Amino acid sequence: MVNGYWIMDKIGRYEFMAEPFHCDFSGQLFMGHMGNHMLNAADFHSSARGFGMKYLMTIKRSWVLSRLAIEMNEMPQQYTKFNVETWVESAMRYFTSRNFAVIGIDDNPLTSDHSPLTSKIYGYGRSIWAMIDTETRQPTDIYAIDNGAINNWIVADKPCPIDKGGRVKMSGDAELVRTIDTYYNDVDINGHINSVKYIEHVLDLWDIDWYRNHWVKRFEIAYVAEAHQGDQLSFYMEKQEESLTSDHAPLTSFNVRIVRSDGTECCRSKVVFASR
Amino acid sequence: MVNGYWIMDKIGRYEFMAEPFHCDFSGQLFMGHMGNHMLNAADFHSSARGFGMKYLMTIKRSWVLSRLAIEMNEMPQQYTKFNVETWVESAMRYFTSRNFAVIGIDDNPLTSDHSPLTSKIYGYGRSIWAMIDTETRQPTDIYAIDNGAINNWIVADKPCPIDKGGRVKMSGDAELVRTIDTYYNDVDINGHINSVKYIEHVLDLWDIDWYRNHWVKRFEIAYVAEAHQGDQLSFYMEKQEESLTSDHAPLTSFNVRIVRSDGTECCRSKVVFASR
């Protein structure tokens, strides 16, 4: 033990597979399932290091996902195994920033000259988490947990070379494009609409014909307020200007606002499509 | 090698976990995800034994799931690890029958007197698969694959003590209870509505209040015809007589018919709820 902590890598690495029923018509892993794998990795990482959900429940605290941004170079194809690495980039009193890297698994990790191959980098993720008191539902001091133990796990120097994102700005011109009902399978263990299901519902706004020519290069979502089963969710969308990636591939961006039955905004999302 | 086959257990065993975002409001694994784990186990088992989807694609054949029945004593709770065992119970020219057992993983596999603990049995599954020619979409002879190699994998004597199910009989009185649109996330790699999503859509017919007092003891589905993204799916339901389990718990059964936009029946399902 060092300073009361078992020596454990600050970076967690977890293996996942692009399961057949988690892949879209083109054989690529659905973005929702990629988000799910990242959230699982976050949970495994924090649990193994003493600040996971299970422990927090015992002291009436919980992590709440505030933002998630995922940007891919390429999505894993059906049956591909890959690692999700995750680490805490920074912690403040009320928020921590946790990053992700999605990395290929080499069947043959050495090249013929015995130098290690560089693993394929599928993409990265960034997330922001608050800690709440589960009784008052109010934000609570992260440093109060185990004398600021989170600071022992910060990795400030591992690169996560994607945009941090931020508040998605929407004009008043966003159009109502769909209203859906929410059902039993939309609801998570807290009784709220499942964070992963929001990703699916947003990406369902485009049809297969669109996805034949486009794929999700970047997906960003901010969770603003909770919704419950039975709430209707309305989706307002506006298209942004087209832009280019560094290799001159055209990008098309859309901003989406999700509003529940009582008019409260639940989520705001930005989706950046690249052409196939 | 024995008779040209590597010695490999006829029964496959695969470990899964009830992931947090795959659990319902009560902390139980969703039935759709249990179905997904079984279908993955089937895929891993057949692939390792030379008759998986990947190999079949190379000879223009594919397995098509015809029926799935799952009956649980108990659903795994959030974070629980469990094994899914699977084996081929029988094979005929056009159909094979594959069974599943969902079994607990003991943290401490020995009792204090060093006798092995009997693992918890969560439940069982039964499935029927056809093999089709992917060009003609017609049923094709399973025995033609590798000189009837499937016969080397049959385990006729492992118990699977749940009802085989069969054709779900519906009267003309079933009521239209919901019509839904299908979207991008509903579609699998074959371009058809995903077998697992049908399970979710059926179980979404009941709301959280119903699930507060009931859980899915048995779920049965027959896949009759394919649907595609953009098809609307209409759900017709009728309630069956109430019955009792062997321990006198009341059971409530519903039959559901799913019909696509053009009037063709896609699926027929039976859901048996037990009281909580």
Side-chain angles (χ1 to χ4, degrees):
Chain A
M1 288 170 74
V2 177
N3 295 330
Y5 290 88
W6 294 102
I7 295 174
M8 181 177 266
D9 198 333
K10 291 183 179 181
I11 301 170
R13 172 181 280 211
Y14 306 95
E15 188 180 308
F16 299 99
M17 192 185 76
E19 298 178 14
F21 290 93
H22 293 172
C23 290
D24 75 3
F25 73 97
S26 76
Q28 288 186 343
L29 183 67
F30 280 115
M31 182 57 94
H33 290 287
M34 178 56 80
N36 188 39
H37 293 315
M38 288 184 178
L39 298 182
N40 280 336
D43 195 27
F44 300 156
H45 175 271
S46 57
S47 296
R49 287 159 184 80
F51 52 96
M53 288 287 197
K54 253 182 167 170
Y55 164 68
L56 292 180
M57 277 195 294
T58 67
I59 56 167
K60 300 194 166 57
R61 297 283 183 276
S62 179
W63 289 114
V64 172
L65 179 61
S66 170
R67 288 172 181 277
L68 179 65
I70 302 174
E71 189 167 324
M72 304 304 292
N73 302 317
E74 185 184 329
M75 263 293 180
Q77 286 282 321
Q78 187 181 221
Y79 293 115
T80 305
K81 289 183 178 173
F82 55 89
N83 282 316
V84 175
E85 290 185 348
T86 183
W87 65 97
V88 178
E89 184 192 53
S90 65
M92 291 181 298
R93 177 174 284 209
Y94 293 118
F95 288 99
T96 67
S97 159
R98 170 185 286 285
N99 295 345
F100 305 92
V102 184
I103 295 176
I105 294 174
D106 302 314
D107 284 334
N108 176 5
L110 293 180
T111 57
S112 55
D113 64 353
H114 303 287
S115 61
L117 275 177
T118 307
S119 299
K120 174 189 278 200
I121 297 177
Y122 284 103
Y124 293 95
R126 289 180 168 276
S127 61
I128 305 284
W129 302 74
M131 190 178 283
I132 60 159
D133 180 312
T134 50
E135 285 180 346
T136 66
R137 309 294 301 169
Q138 292 302 306
T140 168
D141 185 351
I142 292 166
Y143 292 144
I145 305 300
D146 203 6
N147 291 313
I150 190 123
N151 281 321
N152 294 296
W153 299 109
I154 288 171
V155 181
D157 57 353
K158 184 172 162 76
C160 186
I162 63 167
D163 194 67
K164 287 202 173 185
R167 189 168 159 76
V168 173
K169 289 185 196 78
M170 295 190 73
S171 74
D173 300 335
E175 239 183 294
L176 175 62
V177 288
R178 181 172 296 160
T179 297
I180 63 166
D181 289 306
T182 54
Y183 302 120
Y184 165 64
N185 276 281
D186 286 311
V187 175
D188 69 14
I189 192 166
N190 299 307
H192 304 142
I193 302 300
N194 185 318
S195 307
V196 171
K197 287 281 181 174
Y198 280 114
I199 304 177
E200 295 188 9
H201 290 315
V202 169
L203 295 178
D204 276 343
L205 296 175
W206 294 270
D207 68 8
I208 291 267
D209 281 340
W210 173 266
Y211 284 101
R212 282 191 221 286
N213 300 313
H214 301 86
W215 63 281
V216 182
K217 171 79 183 155
R218 181 178 169 96
F219 183 88
E220 233 177 282
I221 188 164
Y223 299 97
V224 183
E226 293 144 359
H228 300 83
Q229 190 249 296
D231 279 337
Q232 282 196 323
L233 298 177
S234 292
F235 295 77
Y236 293 84
M237 192 202 290
E238 64 186 5
K239 191 172 172 181
Q240 299 298 105
E241 293 303 301
E242 308 230 341
S243 61
L244 291 175
T245 59
S246 54
D247 58 353
H248 305 288
L251 297 174
T252 316
S253 303
F254 297 86
N255 294 339
V256 177
R257 180 196 288 129
I258 310 178
V259 176
R260 67 182 191 211
S261 321
D262 68 354
T264 305
E265 179 171 321
C266 300
C267 295
R268 205 173 268 208
S269 173
K270 179 175 185 162
V271 188
V272 182
F273 290 100
S275 298
R276 281 195 202 258
Chain B
M1 288 170 75
V2 177
N3 295 330
Y5 291 88
W6 294 101
I7 294 172
M8 180 178 266
D9 198 333
K10 291 183 181 184
I11 301 169
R13 173 182 278 211
Y14 306 94
E15 187 180 309
F16 298 99
M17 192 185 76
E19 298 179 12
F21 289 94
H22 292 174
C23 291
D24 75 3
F25 73 97
S26 75
Q28 287 186 343
L29 184 66
F30 280 115
M31 181 58 93
H33 290 289
M34 179 55 82
N36 188 39
H37 293 316
M38 287 184 177
L39 298 182
N40 281 335
D43 195 28
F44 300 157
H45 175 272
S46 56
S47 295
R49 287 157 183 81
F51 51 98
M53 289 287 198
K54 253 182 170 170
Y55 164 67
L56 292 180
M57 276 197 291
T58 67
I59 56 167
K60 300 194 167 57
R61 297 282 184 276
S62 180
W63 289 113
V64 172
L65 178 61
S66 171
R67 289 171 180 279
L68 179 65
I70 302 174
E71 188 168 325
M72 304 304 294
N73 303 317
E74 185 185 327
M75 263 295 181
Q77 286 282 322
Q78 187 182 221
Y79 292 115
T80 307
K81 288 182 180 175
F82 55 88
N83 282 316
V84 175
E85 290 185 346
T86 182
W87 66 97
V88 179
E89 184 191 52
S90 65
M92 291 180 296
R93 180 175 281 210
Y94 294 119
F95 289 100
T96 67
S97 159
R98 169 185 286 285
N99 295 345
F100 305 92
V102 184
I103 295 176
I105 295 175
D106 303 315
D107 284 336
N108 176 5
L110 292 180
T111 58
S112 54
D113 63 355
H114 302 288
S115 61
L117 276 176
T118 307
S119 300
K120 173 189 280 199
I121 297 177
Y122 284 103
Y124 293 95
R126 288 181 170 275
S127 62
I128 305 284
W129 302 74
M131 191 178 284
I132 60 159
D133 180 311
T134 51
E135 285 180 347
T136 65
R137 310 295 298 169
Q138 293 302 307
T140 168
D141 185 352
I142 292 167
Y143 293 144
I145 305 300
D146 205 4
N147 290 313
I150 191 120
N151 282 321
N152 294 294
W153 299 109
I154 288 172
V155 181
D157 57 352
K158 185 172 162 78
C160 186
I162 64 168
D163 193 66
K164 287 202 171 183
R167 187 166 161 80
V168 174
K169 288 185 196 75
M170 296 190 73
S171 73
D173 300 337
E175 240 184 294
L176 175 63
V177 288
R178 182 173 295 160
T179 297
I180 63 165
D181 290 305
T182 54
Y183 301 121
Y184 165 65
N185 276 281
D186 286 310
V187 175
D188 70 12
I189 192 168
N190 299 306
H192 304 142
I193 302 300
N194 185 318
S195 307
V196 172
K197 286 281 179 172
Y198 281 114
I199 304 177
E200 295 188 9
H201 290 314
V202 169
L203 295 178
D204 276 344
L205 295 175
W206 293 270
D207 68 9
I208 291 269
D209 282 341
W210 173 265
Y211 284 101
R212 281 190 223 285
N213 300 312
H214 301 87
W215 64 282
V216 183
K217 170 81 183 152
R218 181 177 168 96
F219 183 86
E220 231 177 283
I221 187 163
Y223 299 97
V224 182
E226 293 143 358
H228 299 85
Q229 191 250 296
D231 279 336
Q232 281 194 325
L233 299 177
S234 293
F235 295 76
Y236 294 84
M237 192 202 290
E238 64 185 6
K239 192 172 173 182
Q240 299 299 106
E241 294 303 302
E242 308 230 340
S243 60
L244 293 174
T245 59
S246 53
D247 59 352
H248 304 287
L251 296 175
T252 315
S253 303
F254 297 87
N255 295 340
V256 177
R257 180 195 289 129
I258 310 178
V259 175
R260 68 181 191 212
S261 320
D262 68 355
T264 304
E265 179 172 319
C266 299
C267 296
R268 206 174 267 207
S269 174
K270 179 176 184 159
V271 188
V272 182
F273 290 100
S275 299
R276 283 192 200 260

